[in-house]
Amino acid sequence: MRINALLLKDFYKAVHSEMLPKGITKSVSYFTPRKSRIERWDYVVNFGIQAFCKEWLIDYFNENFFGLPEEVVVNEYQRVMDNTMGRGIYDIEKVRNLHRLGYLPVEIFSLPEGVLVPMHCPIFGITNTEDRFAWLPQALESLISAELWYPMICATVGHTYREIVNYWYDKTCDDNVPRRRALGDFDFRGDQGVDAALKASSAWCLSFVNSATVPVIPYLEAFYNCDCTKEEVAFGAVSTEHFVMCSNFAVDGDEITFLRRALTELYPHTSFSCVSDSYDYWNVVKNLLPQLHDEILAHDGCLLVRGDSGDCVDIVTRTVFELWKQFGGTTNSKGYKVLDPHVKALYGDSITVQRAEQIYQILEENGFAAQNVSLGVGSFSMHCIEENGVLKPFTRDTFSSAIKATYCEIDGKPYHIFKDPKTDRVAGNNFKKSQKGCCLVTRTKDGEYEFIDGLDWLDAHRDPRNELRTIFKDGKIVVDDALSDIRNRLNEGSF
């Protein structure tokens, strides 16, 4: 459904332009993660702003506002507002003026995507570039907030798993073993629609390349300057499913016939995973795989034995131990056992951060390298985390992310504006206290971000120390990062 772009807001935003002080010519607002509700996280990964600017501020507004006849845009706006908010209480001329201008007169200045941003520090800001449109930055708040909190959380989720992988791979694997394929996301079917699934998977792909979400590739190519024919954007796996296993069982009367066909006829030169719990998982692992010993070792690829039910921590680790008994392997330079490259254990879409840590720890305690398993992360981990026995679903309030106006200019005079609710202080939080005036974001000696507020616009914007860089201005992208740039920032050059 294509909706008039200027209707993408909360109702009350429609009348704020009339409420603002007369003579206002400039406003500045900042998007800030004000508080983490997750003990594990005291930062958020900045991600999604470039895609948002391209998809919404350029493409969507061009197609569903500027590219339509003025009367079509104005009449639709009036039809909705007159029959809900009421006639004569909002300024329709601002809609006409914006349409006639032909682009969004705003500037967005942001920290680079892929960096870790601490709580309370502004991630990006937005201001108007023409005096008539000081109302516009905050009018875009609803759209900006709705589109950006989720990819940032998912990027933080992916980075968390990558930190877990890095720790255990550093400890148990040879240094040349790549980490970017250790885990994959299986979020698509459990997300809140296609748009959310694309955000989640693209954010995941900052830390890993394995993904079950096919459309993440054209999405990243469209918005983050990458090309799947020239680089590792995302990879999918050849894998069976229960429909495959059960239908073949119905015909063959067993599971070994299909397994042999997959190894020798369908994929003799391709790695693939085989879901093995349709009936009796341990029968497959302990009885059928030994009967296929020669075919597996002659296979030009890796057979990933996949569990899909039961206690995933126990099943995937025990599978490694069974495969070692049957097929053996080698000992790496750090003294840990690595399975024969023809076999591996896999468990998909049930691996929470706690389970990932448990699996790698059990493997290490039993002398096995972390690379012996391939793990999958499903929609639960993109939407929720468990801490101290409590499930904490992800929402905009996970980081209390908000866009607040902190500066304006009226009749040429600067005003530092802010909010500081006393009731919030009584509650012992005070996280709702906003910045005051314009902000300068700098780096500490340790490389962490920190901000200084209380500045006028030009003082902050022109300061060479300011890490907030203009990425979008007057309907055009100013900074156009590649996926590889963002990956390198997030992974410190070791993607």
Side-chain angles (χ1 to χ4, degrees):
M1 184 177 182
R2 313 306 291 182
I3 298 169
N4 181 326
L6 212 58
L7 291 175
L8 299 178
K9 59 189 175 187
D10 295 305
F11 269 113
Y12 63 91
K13 294 286 187 182
V15 293
H16 287 174
S17 59
E18 294 75 50
M19 298 181 186
L20 292 173
K22 293 181 179 180
I24 187 169
T25 57
K26 191 169 193 64
S27 69
V28 180
S29 301
Y30 291 94
F31 179 98
T32 304
R34 300 177 295 179
K35 175 184 178 181
S36 176
R37 300 178 190 273
I38 307 299
E39 294 177 13
R40 183 183 287 262
W41 295 332
D42 58 3
Y43 66 87
V44 58
V45 176
N46 181 23
F47 180 65
I49 302 174
Q50 181 169 300
F52 169 76
C53 290
K54 290 183 177 182
E55 183 175 15
W56 291 95
L57 302 189
I58 298 175
D59 293 347
Y60 194 94
F61 263 87
N62 284 344
E63 294 173 12
N64 299 283
F65 189 77
F66 298 117
L68 298 176
E70 179 179 314
E71 290 310 311
V72 170
V73 169
V74 171
N75 289 343
E76 176 63 4
Y77 192 93
Q78 286 183 306
R79 184 186 71 85
V80 172
M81 292 301 171
D82 285 355
N83 290 284
T84 52
M85 299 285 280
R87 297 182 181 181
I89 64 169
Y90 63 92
D91 178 18
I92 193 61
E93 289 306 307
K94 68 184 178 188
V95 180
R96 292 188 185 275
N97 291 337
L98 182 60
H99 186 274
R100 290 170 183 174
L101 184 64
Y103 61 86
L104 286 174
V106 297
E107 178 179 356
I108 295 177
F109 39 100
S110 173
L111 295 176
E113 294 199 45
V115 301
L116 307 183
V117 185
M119 295 300 104
H120 311 298
C121 183
I123 294 180
F124 67 89
I126 180 171
T127 186
N128 58 299
T129 58
E130 291 213 8
D131 292 353
R132 294 177 294 165
F133 300 103
W135 56 270
L136 186 56
Q138 278 297 119
L140 295 170
E141 176 193 4
S142 307
L143 175 60
I144 294 172
S145 181
E147 286 294 316
L148 286 176
W149 70 264
Y150 187 56
M152 291 189 185
I153 282 182
C154 292
T156 308
V157 168
H159 179 65
T160 301
Y161 280 98
R162 182 59 184 262
E163 286 185 314
I164 294 169
V165 167
N166 287 344
Y167 175 82
W168 291 104
Y169 271 53
D170 283 345
K171 188 172 186 178
T172 68
C173 301
D174 287 337
D175 293 338
N176 62 351
V177 176
R179 289 97 188 280
R180 59 185 177 272
R181 294 195 179 209
L183 287 93
D185 87 276
F186 293 85
D187 170 72
F188 197 166
R189 71 195 64 190
D191 218 318
Q192 299 171 359
V194 174
D195 185 61
L198 291 172
K199 287 181 171 63
S201 189
S202 61
W204 177 262
C205 285
L206 302 187
S207 297
F208 300 97
V209 294
N210 286 7
S211 175
T213 306
V214 176
V216 73
I217 293 176
Y219 181 89
L220 285 169
E221 288 176 330
F223 299 126
Y224 286 100
N225 299 303
C226 53
D227 184 341
C228 73
T229 67
K230 300 176 181 178
E231 60 190 302
E232 294 182 330
V233 176
F235 283 97
V238 176
S239 179
T240 70
E241 68 174 4
H242 292 293
F243 173 42
V244 170
M245 303 307 294
C246 295
S247 59
N248 277 280
F249 183 88
V251 173
D252 301 329
D254 59 42
E255 294 170 281
I256 196 169
T257 301
F258 171 75
L259 272 168
R260 182 176 285 112
R261 181 162 71 97
L263 287 163
T264 61
E265 299 177 30
L266 295 176
Y267 307 112
H269 305 291
T270 303
S271 298
F272 66 94
S273 71
C274 183
V275 64
S276 302
D277 73 323
S278 294
Y279 304 103
D280 187 341
Y281 180 81
W282 292 116
N283 179 61
V284 172
V285 174
K286 295 183 177 182
N287 298 321
L288 301 190
L289 294 186
Q291 297 179 51
L292 295 168
H293 182 275
D294 293 344
E295 288 92 337
I296 290 172
L297 292 185
H299 176 227
D300 181 23
C302 180
L303 170 62
L304 292 94
V305 183
R306 176 185 162 207
D308 194 44
S309 57
D311 182 340
C312 60
V313 174
D314 176 66
I315 286 171
V316 73
T317 52
R318 284 176 58 196
T319 300
V320 171
F321 306 154
E322 289 293 330
L323 293 176
W324 178 262
K325 292 177 185 177
Q326 297 177 32
F327 299 97
T330 59
T331 301
N332 66 20
S333 64
K334 297 180 181 178
Y336 291 91
K337 290 177 279 191
V338 178
L339 287 170
D340 182 285
H342 293 91
V343 289
K344 200 170 191 177
L346 182 152
Y347 206 103
D349 81 3
S350 294
I351 308 302
T352 63
V353 291
Q354 292 89 349
R355 289 170 178 172
E357 291 170 328
Q358 292 168 15
I359 288 167
Y360 290 138
Q361 182 174 353
I362 291 171
L363 290 176
E364 189 273 336
E365 290 173 347
N366 286 271
F368 286 90
Q371 71 197 75
N372 289 302
V373 296
S374 181
L375 304 176
V377 176
S379 57
F380 173 89
S381 291
M382 297 296 183
H383 293 164
C384 192
I385 195 168
E386 181 180 355
E387 285 192 338
N388 302 319
V390 177
L391 294 180
K392 297 182 178 181
F394 299 145
T395 69
R396 181 183 74 100
D397 289 325
T398 297
F399 293 117
S400 299
S401 301
I403 304 170
K404 297 301 175 186
T406 64
Y407 177 86
C408 66
E409 293 178 2
I410 302 169
D411 295 327
K413 183 179 178 180
Y415 288 86
H416 297 183
I417 58 179
F418 67 102
K419 61 177 289 188
D420 185 12
K422 288 186 177 180
T423 46
D424 192 46
R425 280 182 269 165
V426 171
N429 293 312
N430 207 30
F431 73 91
K432 289 194 172 185
K433 181 180 179 180
S434 71
Q435 294 94 11
K436 182 178 181 180
C438 292
C439 296
L440 179 70
V441 179
T442 63
R443 293 268 199 173
T444 67
K445 292 181 179 179
D446 296 328
E448 302 292 327
Y449 287 108
E450 63 179 4
F451 75 92
I452 301 168
D453 63 354
L455 302 173
D456 289 349
W457 167 248
L458 291 180
D459 291 337
H461 202 54
R462 292 178 179 176
D463 193 309
R465 298 173 297 165
N466 201 343
E467 297 280 339
L468 296 169
R469 56 181 181 165
T470 300
I471 63 167
F472 173 89
K473 187 174 183 179
D474 293 339
K476 296 180 180 179
I477 289 289
V478 176
V479 173
D480 200 5
D481 278 339
L483 175 64
S484 58
D485 298 328
I486 301 170
R487 282 172 164 173
N488 284 330
R489 286 191 201 107
L490 182 57
N491 297 285
E492 299 179 340
S494 299
F495 177 67

